[in-house]
């Protein structure tokens, strides 16, 4: 059984300051993300034990545990690469095919930003704002992901995610989520997002 592992960050914990403090990054990565990795591995191990023993009475709980924790692992693994310090290209506006796609499907970058910000700040409880590629409609869409695994369309591919759980921003921004979202634009790694869009288009072409 494959084991999930905590990915290393492509920058130092303090590299995203002042948009996100080093303290939040350290806690977020080494504690919260690690907990999801551990939880996903534990759920997989317990599912193996259940199959081997033939006792599947807890399968519903274990499947929920796997979905939640693996969702947390996947979401955070994308999130870290979606961000970059200014010295490594973070911030600004997207260019090239990504910019053309945003303009096509949202009208303009400003309209995209406004829509994404509204989705992020409007999440009730914990969740994520997600820019996804929809392979059926062949278009970019914005989704609200509840918790770590709920409320997104099956088959869509996330290419840009913003963590809206309180642990992602509360030490820096308290309850003012809008300021956190505004600051996140300063460290958005559009090159990574563009690469993810290219990959999503290529890998899902003709599948649905």
């Amino acid at each position: 059984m494959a084991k999930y592992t905590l990915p290393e960050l492509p920058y130092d914990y303090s590299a995203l300051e002042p948009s996100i403090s080093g303290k939040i990054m350290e806690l977020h990565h080494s504690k919260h993300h690690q907990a999801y990795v551990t939880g996903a591995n534990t759920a997989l191990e317990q599912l193996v034990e259940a199959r081997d023993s033939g006792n599947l009475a807890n399968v519903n709980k274990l499947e929920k545990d796997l979905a939640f924790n693996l969702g947390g692992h996947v979401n955070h693994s994308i999130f870290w690469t979606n961000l970059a310090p200014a010295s490594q290209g973070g911030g600004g506006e997207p260019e090239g095919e990504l910019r053309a796609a945003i303009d096509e499907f949202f009208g303009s970058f400003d309209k995209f930003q406004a829509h994404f910000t509204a989705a992020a700040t409007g999440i009730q409880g914990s969740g994520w704002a997600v820019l996804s590629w929809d392979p059926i409609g062949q278009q970019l869409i914005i989704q609200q992901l509840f918790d770590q695994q709920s409320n997104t369309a099956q088959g869509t591919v996330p290419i840009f995610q913003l963590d809206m759980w309180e642990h992602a921003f509360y030490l820096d921004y308290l309850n003012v989520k809008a300021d956190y979202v505004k600051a996140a634009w300063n460290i958005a790694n559009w090159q990574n997002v563009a690469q993810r869009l290219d990959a999503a288009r290529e890998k899902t072409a003709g599948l649905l």
Side-chain angles (χ1 to χ4, degrees):
M1 180 66 67
K3 292 285 187 179
Y4 298 110
T5 59
L6 183 69
E8 294 186 5
L9 296 184
Y11 39 74
D12 294 334
Y13 284 140
S14 62
L16 301 181
E17 292 182 346
S19 297
I20 302 178
S21 67
K23 183 64 173 178
I24 277 189
M25 289 298 297
E26 181 177 5
L27 289 170
H28 198 171
H29 177 257
S30 68
K31 302 299 183 183
H32 290 279
H33 190 169
Q34 179 62 63
Y36 295 124
V37 171
T38 301
N41 286 328
T42 298
L44 283 177
E45 292 168 1
Q46 292 176 346
L47 284 165
V48 171
E49 293 172 3
R51 288 194 299 272
D52 289 345
S53 68
N55 181 6
L56 298 171
N58 289 328
V59 70
N60 288 347
K61 174 187 179 300
L62 295 177
E63 292 290 356
K64 290 177 182 177
D65 289 347
L66 179 60
F68 177 77
N69 286 290
L70 183 53
H73 177 39
V74 171
N75 296 332
H76 284 88
S77 297
I78 296 171
F79 177 57
W80 306 132
T81 63
N82 280 166
L83 306 177
S87 61
Q88 297 179 26
E93 297 186 5
E95 301 176 347
E97 292 187 11
L98 174 60
R99 179 56 179 263
I102 287 175
D103 288 345
E104 176 183 358
F105 298 119
F106 298 102
S108 69
F109 180 66
D110 288 342
K111 290 179 180 179
F112 158 72
Q113 267 193 322
H115 183 169
F116 191 92
T117 297
T121 57
I123 292 171
Q124 296 176 324
S126 299
W128 298 71
V130 186
L131 175 65
S132 302
W133 176 250
D134 165 25
I136 293 180
Q138 290 289 293
Q139 63 181 337
L140 290 173
I141 60 173
I142 292 171
Q143 303 184 90
Q144 291 177 318
L145 173 60
F146 298 160
D147 294 326
Q148 300 291 359
Q149 80 286 12
S150 303
N151 199 57
T152 59
Q154 183 81 336
T156 57
V157 182
I159 65 170
F160 179 65
Q161 299 194 201
L162 183 61
D163 193 342
M164 295 305 298
W165 284 62
E166 286 190 348
H167 64 239
F169 62 85
Y170 205 83
L171 287 179
D172 289 343
Y173 297 97
L174 300 178
N175 63 322
V176 189
K177 294 191 290 185
D179 286 351
Y180 163 66
V181 177
K182 183 178 180 180
W185 297 119
N186 297 324
I187 50 175
N189 186 351
W190 297 120
Q191 181 177 356
N192 177 264
V193 179
Q195 292 169 348
R196 290 185 178 278
L197 175 59
D198 288 344
R201 280 172 156 169
E202 179 179 349
K203 291 179 180 179
T204 61
L207 290 180
L208 297 170

